[in-house]
Amino acid sequence: MNLLKRLSAAAAGLAFCAGLSVLPASTAMADSCWNHNGSLMRLQAQGNQRWLSYERPRSVLRNAGVRSGTLLFNGVKNGNWYSGTARVFSKYCPGSPLEYYVEGPVRGDQLQVTVTGTREVYNRCRPTGRFTTDTLVFTYSHQC
């Protein structure tokens, strides 16, 4: 078992033993599941570092090479703000996601994260010179 999973399991065990149903706002719900655009995501945390990967990707993403464990976002949480790198996947570029910078707030109740970023539009793995703004919304589902 890797260090991140051991830390997540230990944090969950401590919270359970202490009878905590809600973690303090400064603490991430380690190893929790979140809904995003029809996919189930897994949030993992270590200190202020955050990773969101696909747990159960929606079927259309499989054509783009997305599988369970594929990383969608990595970055940091500072206060109630996430910032980092997001990825967009294409069936024309499987295994080569386009990375771009995103940032945005954590809702006050800690149950939703919304990050936004601007990225170049690609057509069959080629840049078009056009740009679009993406908004990614992650809503807490349950402890994984």
Side-chain angles (χ1 to χ4, degrees):
M1 186 185 279
N2 69 30
L3 177 61
L4 184 57
K5 286 188 178 182
R6 283 195 306 249
L7 288 172
S8 296
L14 287 173
F16 178 77
C17 291
L20 300 175
S21 59
V22 177
L23 297 174
S26 62
T27 304
M29 290 180 226
D31 209 23
S32 54
C33 283
W34 298 67
N35 293 312
H36 167 66
N37 200 23
S39 295
L40 186 64
M41 310 298 296
R42 181 178 292 259
L43 171 66
Q44 293 179 299
Q46 184 174 24
N48 69 337
Q49 298 292 310
R50 299 292 183 269
W51 299 268
L52 280 153
S53 56
Y54 287 92
E55 183 72 9
R56 281 197 320 260
R58 61 190 173 114
S59 60
V60 70
L61 293 172
R62 292 192 188 105
N63 293 334
V66 175
R67 303 286 182 260
S68 179
T70 299
L71 186 64
L72 176 61
F73 169 87
N74 65 286
V76 295
K77 180 178 185 253
N78 288 311
N80 282 333
W81 195 260
Y82 272 45
S83 59
T85 302
R87 290 151 185 85
V88 64
F89 302 90
S90 168
K91 68 180 180 180
Y92 300 107
C93 315
S96 298
L98 173 64
E99 297 183 340
Y100 62 105
Y101 178 78
V102 294
E103 63 178 344
V106 179
R107 200 168 68 189
D109 63 7
Q110 304 293 303
L111 300 178
Q112 190 171 76
V113 177
T114 303
V115 293
T116 302
T118 300
R119 64 172 175 84
E120 189 164 8
V121 176
Y122 276 52
N123 183 8
R124 297 183 184 253
C125 299
R126 294 195 176 140
T128 64
R130 293 179 295 134
F131 290 83
T132 189
T133 299
D134 284 347
T135 299
L136 291 75
V137 179
F138 303 94
T139 305
Y140 177 77
S141 175
H142 61 279
Q143 288 302 115
C144 292

